[in-house]
Amino acid sequence: MTLDKSKKGMLVKILDIPDQLVRAQIIRFGITAGATVTCEEIVPGGPVIVSRNRQEIAIGRSLASQIKIEPVA
């Protein structure tokens, strides 16, 4: 599953960020493989908004579609 397919309120674990450029972009926000984030909002036709450590981050849809995740129970 990829981040752009998550649902509002889901707690997810980042499994893999395959593209090195994408990894470099997302690491600037403190998100790495193994990090747990909460999906706060999916803006129709827009970004995926996630939160981690009380910080909300808007991740563009194309970037989110390359980030592999799994739901945390």
Side-chain angles (χ1 to χ4, degrees):
M1 181 174 181
T2 56
L3 185 58
D4 64 320
K5 303 285 192 269
S6 62
K7 304 279 188 236
K8 183 177 178 178
M10 272 179 90
L11 184 64
V12 299
K13 180 179 179 181
I14 307 294
L15 294 179
D16 187 35
I17 306 167
D19 186 289
Q20 188 173 5
L21 180 60
V22 172
R23 193 177 313 122
Q25 290 174 333
I26 202 82
I27 226 166
R28 294 180 194 152
F29 301 115
I31 298 175
T32 60
T36 302
V37 298
T38 303
C39 179
E40 297 293 341
E41 188 73 46
I42 306 281
V43 178
V48 177
I49 301 171
V50 297
S51 65
R52 181 165 192 266
N53 298 333
R54 299 183 311 200
Q55 177 181 8
E56 288 189 350
I57 302 158
I59 301 174
R61 194 61 68 108
S62 62
L63 189 61
S65 69
Q66 297 178 52
I67 300 172
K68 294 184 175 123
I69 61 164
E70 72 176 0
V72 175

